[in-house]
Amino acid sequence: MSEATWNDEVSPYDVLGVDEKASNGDIRKAFFEQARLFHPDRNLSVQDDERTAHFLKVKKAYEVLSSESSRKIYDACLLKREELTRK
């Protein structure tokens, strides 16, 4: 899912638990930690829709933040949204 369609109340940074100034390496590390915990194939004995839904959010957040170009676009949209809410 692209940065333009990110409409959750929680930002991709919050989902991955990283700061907006996090490096690509920090983002990648946070993604793999979250993916390891919430991947649906990780624990086949537990079929939990909430875990699966969280994993999909983690995956979507990583897709937005892992690409330098999509991250810049997301950050620009976030900045614009913050400016509009201050007015």
Coordinates of all heavy atoms in Angstrom, one line a residue:
M1 N 0.8 -1.2 0.0 CA 0.0 0.0 0.0 C 0.9 1.2 0.0 O 1.9 1.3 0.7 CB -0.9 0.0 1.2 CG -1.9 1.1 1.3 SD -3.3 0.8 2.3 CE -4.2 -0.3 1.2
S2 N 0.5 2.2 -0.8 CA 1.4 3.4 -0.9 C 1.2 4.4 0.2 O 0.2 4.3 1.0 CB 1.1 4.1 -2.2 OG -0.1 4.8 -2.2
E3 N 2.1 5.3 0.3 CA 2.1 6.3 1.3 C 0.8 7.2 1.2 O 0.3 7.7 2.2 CB 3.3 7.2 1.3 CG 3.5 8.0 0.1 CD 4.0 7.1 -1.1 OE1 4.6 6.0 -0.9 OE2 3.7 7.5 -2.2
A4 N 0.3 7.4 0.0 CA -0.8 8.2 -0.2 C -2.1 7.6 0.3 O -3.1 8.3 0.6 CB -1.0 8.5 -1.7
T5 N -2.1 6.3 0.5 CA -3.3 5.7 1.0 C -3.2 5.3 2.5 O -4.1 4.6 3.0 CB -3.6 4.4 0.2 OG1 -2.5 3.5 0.3 CG2 -3.9 4.7 -1.2
W6 N -2.1 5.7 3.2 CA -2.0 5.4 4.6 C -3.0 6.3 5.3 O -2.9 7.5 5.4 CB -0.6 5.8 5.1 CG -0.4 5.3 6.5 CD1 -0.7 6.1 7.6 CD2 0.1 4.1 7.0 NE1 -0.4 5.4 8.7 CE2 0.1 4.2 8.4 CE3 0.6 3.0 6.4 CZ2 0.5 3.1 9.2 CZ3 1.0 1.9 7.2 CH2 0.9 2.0 8.5
N7 N -4.1 5.7 5.9 CA -5.1 6.5 6.5 C -5.4 6.0 7.9 O -6.4 6.5 8.5 CB -6.4 6.4 5.7 CG -6.9 5.0 5.5 OD1 -6.4 4.0 6.1 ND2 -7.9 4.8 4.8
D8 N -4.5 5.2 8.5 CA -4.7 4.8 9.9 C -4.4 6.0 10.8 O -3.6 6.9 10.5 CB -3.8 3.7 10.3 CG -4.2 2.4 9.5 OD1 -5.4 2.3 9.1 OD2 -3.3 1.6 9.3
E9 N -5.0 6.0 12.0 CA -4.7 7.1 13.0 C -3.3 7.0 13.5 O -2.7 8.0 14.0 CB -5.7 7.0 14.1 CG -7.1 7.3 13.7 CD -8.1 7.2 14.8 OE1 -7.7 7.2 16.0 OE2 -9.3 7.2 14.5
V10 N -2.7 5.8 13.5 CA -1.4 5.6 14.0 C -0.4 5.7 12.8 O -0.6 5.0 11.7 CB -1.3 4.2 14.7 CG1 0.1 4.0 15.2 CG2 -2.3 4.1 15.8
S11 N 0.7 6.4 12.9 CA 1.6 6.6 11.8 C 2.5 5.3 11.6 O 2.6 4.5 12.6 CB 2.6 7.7 12.1 OG 3.6 7.4 13.0
P12 N 3.1 5.1 10.5 CA 4.0 4.0 10.3 C 5.1 4.0 11.3 O 5.6 2.9 11.7 CB 4.5 4.2 8.8 CG 3.7 5.2 8.2 CD 2.9 5.9 9.3
Y13 N 5.6 5.2 11.7 CA 6.6 5.2 12.6 C 6.2 4.6 14.0 O 6.9 3.9 14.6 CB 7.1 6.7 12.9 CG 7.7 7.3 11.7 CD1 7.0 8.2 10.9 CD2 9.0 7.0 11.3 CE1 7.6 8.8 9.7 CE2 9.6 7.6 10.2 CZ 8.9 8.5 9.4 OH 9.5 9.0 8.3
D14 N 4.9 5.0 14.4 CA 4.4 4.4 15.6 C 4.2 2.9 15.5 O 4.5 2.2 16.5 CB 3.1 5.1 16.0 CG 3.2 6.6 16.3 OD1 4.3 7.0 16.8 OD2 2.2 7.3 16.1
V15 N 3.7 2.4 14.4 CA 3.5 1.0 14.2 C 4.8 0.2 14.4 O 4.9 -0.8 15.1 CB 2.9 0.7 12.9 CG1 2.9 -0.8 12.6 CG2 1.5 1.2 12.8
L16 N 5.9 0.8 13.8 CA 7.2 0.1 14.0 C 7.9 0.4 15.2 O 8.9 -0.2 15.6 CB 8.1 0.4 12.7 CG 7.6 -0.2 11.4 CD1 8.5 0.3 10.3 CD2 7.5 -1.7 11.4
G17 N 7.4 1.4 15.9 CA 8.1 1.8 17.2 C 9.4 2.5 17.0 O 10.3 2.3 17.8
V18 N 9.5 3.3 15.9 CA 10.7 4.1 15.7 C 10.4 5.6 15.6 O 9.3 6.0 15.4 CB 11.4 3.6 14.3 CG1 11.8 2.2 14.4 CG2 10.5 3.8 13.1
D19 N 11.5 6.4 15.8 CA 11.4 7.8 15.7 C 11.4 8.2 14.2 O 11.8 7.5 13.3 CB 12.7 8.4 16.4 CG 12.6 9.9 16.5 OD1 11.7 10.4 17.2 OD2 13.4 10.6 15.8
E20 N 10.8 9.4 13.9 CA 10.8 9.9 12.6 C 12.2 10.1 12.0 O 12.3 10.2 10.8 CB 10.0 11.2 12.5 CG 8.5 11.0 12.8 CD 7.7 12.3 12.7 OE1 8.2 13.3 12.4 OE2 6.5 12.2 13.1
K21 N 13.2 10.2 12.8 CA 14.6 10.4 12.3 C 15.3 9.1 12.3 O 16.5 9.1 12.1 CB 15.3 11.4 13.2 CG 14.7 12.8 13.1 CD 15.4 13.8 14.0 CE 14.6 15.1 13.9 NZ 15.0 16.0 14.9
A22 N 14.6 8.0 12.4 CA 15.3 6.7 12.4 C 16.0 6.4 11.1 O 15.5 6.8 10.0 CB 14.2 5.6 12.7
S23 N 17.1 5.7 11.2 CA 17.8 5.3 10.0 C 17.1 4.2 9.3 O 16.2 3.5 9.9 CB 19.2 4.9 10.3 OG 19.2 3.7 11.1
N24 N 17.5 3.9 8.1 CA 16.9 2.8 7.3 C 17.2 1.5 8.0 O 16.4 0.6 8.1 CB 17.4 2.7 5.9 CG 16.9 3.8 5.0 OD1 15.9 4.5 5.4 ND2 17.5 4.1 3.9
G25 N 18.4 1.4 8.6 CA 18.8 0.2 9.4 C 17.9 0.0 10.6 O 17.5 -1.1 10.9
D26 N 17.6 1.1 11.3 CA 16.7 1.0 12.5 C 15.3 0.6 12.1 O 14.6 -0.2 12.8 CB 16.6 2.3 13.2 CG 17.9 2.7 13.9 OD1 18.7 1.8 14.2 OD2 18.1 3.9 14.1
I27 N 14.8 1.1 11.0 CA 13.5 0.7 10.5 C 13.4 -0.7 10.1 O 12.5 -1.4 10.4 CB 13.1 1.7 9.3 CG1 12.8 3.1 9.8 CG2 11.9 1.1 8.5 CD1 12.7 4.1 8.7
R28 N 14.5 -1.2 9.4 CA 14.5 -2.6 9.0 C 14.6 -3.5 10.2 O 13.9 -4.5 10.3 CB 15.8 -2.8 8.1 CG 15.9 -4.2 7.6 CD 17.2 -4.3 6.7 NE 17.6 -5.6 6.4 CZ 17.2 -6.3 5.4 NH1 16.4 -5.7 4.5 NH2 17.6 -7.5 5.2
K29 N 15.4 -3.2 11.2 CA 15.5 -4.0 12.4 C 14.1 -4.0 13.2 O 13.7 -5.1 13.6 CB 16.6 -3.4 13.3 CG 16.8 -4.1 14.6 CD 17.8 -3.5 15.5 CE 18.0 -4.2 16.8 NZ 19.0 -3.6 17.7
A30 N 13.5 -2.9 13.3 CA 12.2 -2.8 13.9 C 11.2 -3.7 13.2 O 10.3 -4.4 13.8 CB 11.7 -1.4 14.1
F31 N 11.2 -3.6 11.9 CA 10.3 -4.4 11.1 C 10.5 -5.9 11.3 O 9.5 -6.6 11.6 CB 10.4 -4.1 9.6 CG 9.7 -5.1 8.7 CD1 8.4 -5.2 8.6 CD2 10.5 -6.1 8.0 CE1 7.7 -6.1 7.8 CE2 9.8 -7.0 7.2 CZ 8.4 -7.0 7.1
F32 N 11.7 -6.3 11.3 CA 12.0 -7.8 11.5 C 11.6 -8.2 12.9 O 11.1 -9.3 13.1 CB 13.4 -8.1 11.1 CG 13.6 -8.2 9.6 CD1 14.4 -7.3 9.0 CD2 13.0 -9.3 8.9 CE1 14.6 -7.4 7.6 CE2 13.2 -9.4 7.5 CZ 14.0 -8.4 6.9
E33 N 11.8 -7.4 13.9 CA 11.4 -7.7 15.2 C 9.9 -7.9 15.3 O 9.4 -8.9 15.9 CB 11.9 -6.7 16.2 CG 13.4 -6.7 16.5 CD 13.9 -5.6 17.3 OE1 13.1 -4.7 17.8 OE2 15.1 -5.5 17.6
Q34 N 9.2 -6.9 14.8 CA 7.7 -7.0 14.8 C 7.2 -8.1 13.9 O 6.2 -8.8 14.4 CB 7.1 -5.6 14.3 CG 7.3 -4.5 15.2 CD 6.4 -4.5 16.4 OE1 5.2 -4.8 16.3 NE2 6.9 -4.2 17.5
A35 N 7.8 -8.3 12.8 CA 7.3 -9.4 11.9 C 7.5 -10.8 12.6 O 6.7 -11.7 12.5 CB 8.1 -9.4 10.6
R36 N 8.6 -10.9 13.3 CA 8.9 -12.2 14.0 C 7.9 -12.5 15.0 O 7.4 -13.6 15.2 CB 10.3 -12.2 14.6 CG 10.7 -13.5 15.1 CD 12.2 -13.5 15.7 NE 12.2 -12.7 16.9 CZ 13.0 -11.5 17.0 NH1 13.7 -11.1 16.0 NH2 13.0 -10.9 18.1
L37 N 7.4 -11.4 15.7 CA 6.4 -11.6 16.8 C 5.0 -11.8 16.3 O 4.3 -12.6 16.9 CB 6.4 -10.3 17.7 CG 7.6 -10.1 18.5 CD1 7.5 -8.7 19.2 CD2 7.7 -11.2 19.6
F38 N 4.7 -11.2 15.1 CA 3.3 -11.2 14.7 C 3.0 -11.9 13.4 O 1.8 -12.0 13.0 CB 2.8 -9.8 14.6 CG 2.7 -9.1 15.9 CD1 3.7 -8.2 16.3 CD2 1.7 -9.3 16.8 CE1 3.7 -7.5 17.5 CE2 1.6 -8.7 18.0 CZ 2.6 -7.8 18.4
H39 N 4.0 -12.5 12.8 CA 3.7 -13.2 11.5 C 2.8 -14.4 11.7 O 2.9 -15.2 12.7 CB 5.0 -13.7 10.9 CG 4.9 -14.1 9.5 ND1 4.3 -15.3 9.1 CD2 5.2 -13.5 8.4 CE1 4.3 -15.4 7.8 NE2 4.9 -14.3 7.3
P40 N 1.7 -14.5 10.9 CA 0.7 -15.6 11.1 C 1.3 -17.0 11.0 O 0.8 -17.9 11.7 CB -0.2 -15.4 9.9 CG 0.0 -14.0 9.4 CD 1.4 -13.7 9.8
D41 N 2.4 -17.2 10.3 CA 3.1 -18.5 10.3 C 3.9 -18.8 11.5 O 4.4 -19.9 11.6 CB 3.9 -18.7 9.0 CG 3.0 -18.7 7.8 OD1 1.8 -19.0 7.9 OD2 3.6 -18.4 6.7
R42 N 4.2 -17.8 12.3 CA 5.1 -18.0 13.4 C 4.6 -19.0 14.5 O 5.3 -19.8 15.0 CB 5.3 -16.6 14.1 CG 6.3 -16.6 15.2 CD 7.7 -16.7 14.7 NE 8.6 -16.6 15.8 CZ 9.8 -17.2 15.9 NH1 10.2 -17.9 14.9 NH2 10.5 -17.0 17.0
N43 N 3.3 -18.9 14.8 CA 2.7 -19.8 15.7 C 1.4 -20.4 15.2 O 0.4 -19.8 15.3 CB 2.4 -19.1 17.1 CG 2.1 -20.0 18.2 OD1 1.8 -21.2 17.9 ND2 2.0 -19.5 19.4
L44 N 1.5 -21.5 14.5 CA 0.4 -22.1 13.8 C -0.7 -22.6 14.7 O -1.9 -22.7 14.3 CB 0.8 -23.2 12.9 CG 1.8 -22.8 11.7 CD1 2.3 -24.0 11.0 CD2 1.1 -21.8 10.8
S45 N -0.4 -22.8 16.0 CA -1.5 -23.3 16.9 C -2.4 -22.2 17.3 O -3.5 -22.4 17.8 CB -0.8 -23.9 18.1 OG -0.1 -23.0 18.9
V46 N -2.0 -20.9 17.1 CA -2.9 -19.8 17.5 C -3.3 -19.1 16.3 O -2.5 -18.5 15.5 CB -2.1 -18.8 18.4 CG1 -2.9 -17.6 18.7 CG2 -1.6 -19.5 19.7
Q47 N -4.6 -19.1 16.0 CA -5.2 -18.3 14.9 C -5.8 -17.1 15.5 O -7.0 -17.1 15.9 CB -6.2 -19.2 14.1 CG -5.6 -20.4 13.4 CD -4.7 -19.9 12.3 OE1 -4.8 -18.9 11.7 NE2 -3.6 -20.7 12.1
D48 N -5.1 -16.0 15.5 CA -5.6 -14.8 16.1 C -5.7 -13.7 15.1 O -4.7 -13.3 14.5 CB -4.6 -14.4 17.2 CG -5.1 -13.2 18.0 OD1 -6.1 -12.6 17.7 OD2 -4.4 -12.9 19.0
D49 N -6.9 -13.2 14.8 CA -7.1 -12.2 13.8 C -6.5 -10.9 14.1 O -6.0 -10.2 13.2 CB -8.6 -12.0 13.6 CG -9.3 -13.2 12.9 OD1 -8.6 -14.0 12.3 OD2 -10.5 -13.4 13.0
E50 N -6.4 -10.6 15.4 CA -5.7 -9.3 15.8 C -4.2 -9.3 15.5 O -3.7 -8.3 15.1 CB -6.0 -9.0 17.3 CG -7.3 -8.5 17.6 CD -7.5 -8.1 19.1 OE1 -6.5 -7.6 19.7 OE2 -8.6 -8.3 19.6
R51 N -3.6 -10.5 15.8 CA -2.2 -10.6 15.5 C -1.9 -10.5 14.0 O -1.0 -9.8 13.5 CB -1.6 -11.9 16.0 CG -1.6 -12.0 17.5 CD -1.1 -13.4 18.0 NE 0.3 -13.7 17.6 CZ 1.3 -13.3 18.3 NH1 1.1 -12.7 19.5 NH2 2.5 -13.7 18.0
T52 N -2.8 -11.1 13.2 CA -2.7 -11.0 11.7 C -2.9 -9.6 11.3 O -2.1 -9.1 10.4 CB -3.7 -12.0 11.1 OG1 -3.4 -13.3 11.5 CG2 -3.5 -11.9 9.5
A53 N -3.9 -8.9 11.8 CA -4.2 -7.6 11.4 C -3.0 -6.7 11.8 O -2.6 -5.8 11.0 CB -5.4 -7.0 12.1
H54 N -2.4 -6.9 12.9 CA -1.2 -6.1 13.3 C 0.0 -6.4 12.4 O 0.7 -5.4 12.0 CB -0.8 -6.3 14.8 CG 0.3 -5.5 15.2 ND1 0.1 -4.1 15.5 CD2 1.6 -5.7 15.4 CE1 1.3 -3.6 15.8 NE2 2.2 -4.5 15.8
F55 N 0.2 -7.6 12.1 CA 1.2 -8.0 11.1 C 1.1 -7.2 9.8 O 2.0 -6.7 9.2 CB 1.3 -9.5 10.9 CG 2.3 -9.8 9.8 CD1 3.6 -9.8 10.0 CD2 1.8 -10.1 8.5 CE1 4.6 -10.1 9.0 CE2 2.7 -10.4 7.5 CZ 4.1 -10.4 7.8
L56 N -0.2 -7.2 9.3 CA -0.4 -6.5 8.0 C -0.1 -5.0 8.2 O 0.4 -4.3 7.2 CB -1.9 -6.7 7.6 CG -2.2 -8.1 7.2 CD1 -3.6 -8.3 6.9 CD2 -1.3 -8.6 6.0
K57 N -0.4 -4.4 9.3 CA -0.1 -3.0 9.6 C 1.5 -2.8 9.6 O 2.0 -1.8 9.0 CB -0.7 -2.5 10.9 CG -2.1 -2.1 10.8 CD -2.6 -1.5 12.1 CE -4.0 -1.1 12.0 NZ -4.5 -0.4 13.2
V58 N 2.1 -3.7 10.2 CA 3.6 -3.7 10.3 C 4.2 -3.7 8.9 O 5.1 -3.0 8.5 CB 4.2 -4.8 11.2 CG1 5.6 -5.0 11.0 CG2 3.8 -4.6 12.6
K59 N 3.6 -4.7 8.1 CA 4.1 -4.8 6.7 C 3.9 -3.6 5.9 O 4.7 -3.1 5.2 CB 3.4 -6.0 6.1 CG 3.9 -6.3 4.7 CD 3.1 -7.5 4.1 CE 3.5 -7.8 2.7 NZ 2.5 -8.4 1.9
K60 N 2.7 -3.0 6.0 CA 2.3 -1.8 5.3 C 3.2 -0.6 5.8 O 3.7 0.2 4.9 CB 0.9 -1.4 5.5 CG 0.4 -0.2 4.8 CD -1.1 -0.1 4.8 CE -1.7 0.2 6.1 NZ -3.1 0.7 6.1
A61 N 3.5 -0.5 7.1 CA 4.4 0.6 7.6 C 5.8 0.4 7.0 O 6.4 1.4 6.6 CB 4.4 0.5 9.1
Y62 N 6.3 -0.8 6.9 CA 7.6 -1.0 6.4 C 7.6 -0.7 4.9 O 8.6 -0.1 4.4 CB 8.0 -2.5 6.6 CG 9.4 -2.7 6.2 CD1 10.5 -2.2 6.8 CD2 9.7 -3.6 5.1 CE1 11.8 -2.4 6.4 CE2 11.0 -3.8 4.6 CZ 12.0 -3.2 5.3 OH 13.3 -3.5 4.9
E63 N 6.6 -1.0 4.2 CA 6.5 -0.7 2.8 C 6.6 0.8 2.5 O 7.3 1.3 1.6 CB 5.3 -1.2 2.1 CG 5.2 -2.7 2.0 CD 3.9 -3.2 1.5 OE1 2.9 -2.4 1.3 OE2 3.8 -4.5 1.3
V64 N 6.0 1.6 3.4 CA 6.0 3.1 3.3 C 7.4 3.6 3.7 O 8.0 4.5 3.0 CB 4.9 3.7 4.2 CG1 5.1 5.2 4.3 CG2 3.6 3.4 3.7
L65 N 8.0 3.1 4.8 CA 9.2 3.7 5.3 C 10.5 3.1 4.7 O 11.6 3.7 4.8 CB 9.2 3.6 6.8 CG 8.1 4.3 7.6 CD1 8.2 4.0 9.0 CD2 8.0 5.7 7.2
S66 N 10.5 1.9 4.1 CA 11.7 1.3 3.7 C 12.2 1.9 2.4 O 13.4 1.9 2.1 CB 11.5 -0.2 3.5 OG 10.6 -0.5 2.5
S67 N 11.4 2.5 1.6 CA 11.8 3.1 0.3 C 12.0 4.6 0.6 O 11.1 5.3 1.2 CB 10.7 3.0 -0.7 OG 10.9 3.9 -1.8
E68 N 13.2 5.1 0.3 CA 13.5 6.5 0.5 C 12.5 7.4 -0.1 O 12.1 8.4 0.5 CB 14.9 6.8 0.1 CG 15.4 8.1 0.5 CD 16.9 8.4 0.1 OE1 17.7 7.4 0.1 OE2 17.2 9.5 -0.2
S69 N 12.1 7.1 -1.3 CA 11.2 8.0 -2.1 C 9.8 8.0 -1.4 O 9.2 9.1 -1.2 CB 11.1 7.7 -3.5 OG 10.6 6.3 -3.7
S70 N 9.3 6.8 -1.1 CA 7.9 6.8 -0.5 C 8.0 7.4 0.9 O 7.0 8.0 1.3 CB 7.4 5.4 -0.5 OG 8.1 4.6 0.4
R71 N 9.1 7.2 1.6 CA 9.2 7.9 3.0 C 9.2 9.4 2.9 O 8.5 10.1 3.7 CB 10.5 7.4 3.6 CG 10.6 7.9 5.1 CD 11.9 7.3 5.7 NE 12.1 7.8 7.0 CZ 13.1 7.5 7.8 NH1 14.0 6.6 7.4 NH2 13.2 8.0 9.0
K72 N 9.9 9.9 1.9 CA 9.9 11.4 1.7 C 8.5 11.9 1.4 O 8.1 12.9 1.9 CB 10.9 11.8 0.6 CG 12.3 11.7 1.0 CD 13.2 12.2 -0.1 CE 14.7 12.1 0.3 NZ 15.6 12.6 -0.7
I73 N 7.8 11.2 0.5 CA 6.4 11.6 0.2 C 5.5 11.5 1.4 O 4.7 12.4 1.7 CB 5.9 10.7 -1.0 CG1 6.6 11.0 -2.3 CG2 4.4 10.9 -1.2 CD1 6.4 10.0 -3.4
Y74 N 5.6 10.4 2.2 CA 4.8 10.3 3.4 C 5.1 11.4 4.3 O 4.2 12.1 4.9 CB 5.0 8.9 4.1 CG 4.3 8.9 5.4 CD1 2.9 8.6 5.4 CD2 4.9 9.2 6.6 CE1 2.2 8.6 6.6 CE2 4.2 9.2 7.8 CZ 2.9 8.9 7.8 OH 2.2 8.9 9.0
D75 N 6.4 11.7 4.6 CA 6.8 12.8 5.5 C 6.3 14.1 5.0 O 5.8 14.9 5.8 CB 8.3 12.8 5.7 CG 8.9 11.6 6.5 OD1 8.1 10.9 7.2 OD2 10.1 11.4 6.4
A76 N 6.3 14.4 3.7 CA 5.8 15.6 3.2 C 4.3 15.7 3.4 O 3.8 16.8 3.8 CB 6.2 15.7 1.7
C77 N 3.6 14.6 3.2 CA 2.1 14.6 3.4 C 1.8 14.8 4.9 O 0.9 15.5 5.2 CB 1.5 13.3 2.9 SG 1.5 13.1 1.1
L78 N 2.6 14.2 5.8 CA 2.4 14.3 7.2 C 2.7 15.8 7.6 O 1.9 16.4 8.4 CB 3.4 13.4 7.9 CG 3.3 13.4 9.4 CD1 1.9 12.8 9.9 CD2 4.4 12.5 10.0
L79 N 3.7 16.4 7.1 CA 4.0 17.8 7.4 C 2.9 18.7 6.9 O 2.4 19.6 7.7 CB 5.3 18.2 6.8 CG 5.8 19.6 7.1 CD1 6.0 19.9 8.5 CD2 7.1 19.9 6.3
K80 N 2.4 18.5 5.7 CA 1.3 19.3 5.2 C 0.0 19.1 6.0 O -0.7 20.1 6.4 CB 1.0 18.8 3.7 CG 0.0 19.7 3.1 CD 0.5 21.1 2.8 CE -0.4 21.8 1.9 NZ -0.1 23.2 1.7
R81 N -0.3 17.9 6.5 CA -1.4 17.6 7.3 C -1.3 18.4 8.6 O -2.3 18.9 9.1 CB -1.6 16.1 7.6 CG -2.9 15.8 8.3 CD -3.1 14.3 8.5 NE -2.5 13.5 7.4 CZ -2.1 12.2 7.5 NH1 -2.1 11.7 8.7 NH2 -1.6 11.6 6.5
E82 N -0.1 18.4 9.2 CA 0.1 19.1 10.5 C -0.1 20.6 10.3 O -0.7 21.2 11.2 CB 1.5 18.7 11.0 CG 1.6 17.3 11.6 CD 3.0 17.0 12.0 OE1 4.0 17.8 11.8 OE2 3.2 15.9 12.5
E83 N 0.4 21.1 9.2 CA 0.2 22.5 8.9 C -1.3 22.9 8.8 O -1.7 23.9 9.3 CB 1.0 22.9 7.6 CG 2.5 22.9 7.8 CD 3.2 23.2 6.5 OE1 2.5 23.4 5.4 OE2 4.4 23.2 6.5
L84 N -2.0 22.1 8.1 CA -3.4 22.3 7.9 C -4.2 22.2 9.2 O -5.2 23.0 9.4 CB -4.0 21.3 6.9 CG -3.6 21.5 5.5 CD1 -4.1 20.4 4.6 CD2 -4.0 22.9 4.9
T85 N -3.8 21.3 10.1 CA -4.6 21.2 11.4 C -4.2 22.4 12.3 O -5.0 22.6 13.2 CB -4.3 19.9 12.1 OG1 -2.9 19.8 12.3 CG2 -4.8 18.7 11.3
R86 N -3.1 23.0 12.2 CA -2.7 24.2 13.0 C -3.5 25.4 12.6 O -3.6 26.3 13.4 CB -1.2 24.5 12.9 CG -0.4 23.5 13.7 CD 1.0 23.9 13.7 NE 1.8 22.8 13.1 CZ 2.9 23.0 12.5 NH1 3.4 24.2 12.3 NH2 3.5 21.9 12.0
K87 N -4.0 25.5 11.4 CA -4.7 26.7 10.9 C -6.1 26.8 11.5 O -6.7 26.0 11.9 CB -4.7 26.7 9.4 CG -3.4 26.9 8.8 CD -3.4 27.0 7.3 CE -2.0 27.3 6.8 NZ -2.0 27.4 5.3

